[in-house]
Amino acid sequence: LHVLLRFNIEYKIIEEDFKVSELPDIWNEEFKKLFNFDVDNDSNGCLQDIHWFSGDFGYFPTYTLGAMIAAQISDLIRKKMPKFKEHIQEGKFNNLKKWLTQNIHEKASFYSTKQILKLVTNDELKTSFFINYIKSKYLN
């Protein structure tokens, strides 16, 4: 919902020509709609977003994209390394680091994120991996 909150606010500022000076009121109104909760002050409201302070509008949804990509790559790693979970629990990261270096880090300067994902997973970005991750984490 936080991503939706920020998207709605950024949309209003950019597409509906609201002024940035109206941001606290827009934030409080959208927050109330989504969470049914009143914001007590701007520090707990619109000022908590460090992206806007630096002018990075549209940035927050990239966290969701990153989480989706991570879930898809993680699914592949778990298939390639059957003892992945045990190694992580034991603090053994060498195999993971080696795999990431060979498959992701060494390619990062030459390909786009979309291209690397296709090269590594042999698939386009799919929401199903993230949905499975969320279900596994919160429903099991």
Side-chain angles (χ1 to χ4, degrees):
L1 285 177
H2 237 157
V3 173
L4 185 59
L5 171 69
R6 283 169 169 80
F7 174 83
N8 288 347
I9 293 168
E10 289 175 4
Y11 183 88
K12 284 183 177 193
I13 290 170
I14 294 168
E15 295 296 326
E16 297 178 12
D17 202 27
F18 278 79
K19 293 180 176 52
V20 174
S21 62
E22 299 173 276
L23 183 57
D25 294 333
I26 296 169
W27 176 286
N28 296 344
E29 179 184 315
E30 287 296 318
F31 194 90
K32 180 73 172 179
K33 275 190 223 174
L34 289 171
F35 299 102
N36 196 29
F37 187 83
D38 290 317
V39 178
D40 58 349
N41 62 59
D42 290 343
S43 294
N44 291 327
C46 66
L47 293 178
Q48 66 162 306
D49 195 314
I50 62 168
H51 302 101
W52 291 342
F53 172 78
S54 60
D56 293 331
F57 281 80
Y59 189 83
F60 199 79
T62 62
Y63 290 120
T64 303
L65 289 172
M68 290 173 59
I69 292 166
Q72 191 161 334
I73 290 172
S74 177
D75 183 78
L76 176 66
I77 290 171
R78 290 172 194 278
K79 290 174 183 166
K80 298 274 186 190
M81 296 180 208
K83 294 189 177 192
F84 172 76
K85 187 174 181 178
E86 291 84 1
H87 288 163
I88 297 297
Q89 290 172 336
E90 295 168 4
K92 297 178 182 174
F93 301 102
N94 289 341
N95 288 340
L96 174 60
K97 186 178 180 306
K98 182 179 176 184
W99 189 92
L100 288 170
T101 297
Q102 291 173 344
N103 293 283
I104 307 289
H105 304 152
E106 290 178 355
K107 295 173 171 58
S109 295
F110 303 103
Y111 300 101
S112 68
T113 302
K114 184 177 179 179
Q115 291 169 322
I116 290 173
L117 190 63
K118 180 73 172 171
L119 282 169
V120 172
T121 68
N122 203 30
D123 212 343
E124 303 290 329
L125 180 62
K126 293 199 173 155
T127 57
S128 59
F129 294 99
F130 186 66
I131 291 167
N132 291 340
Y133 165 75
I134 294 295
K135 286 180 179 178
S136 172
K137 182 170 182 164
Y138 296 107
L139 299 178
N140 290 339

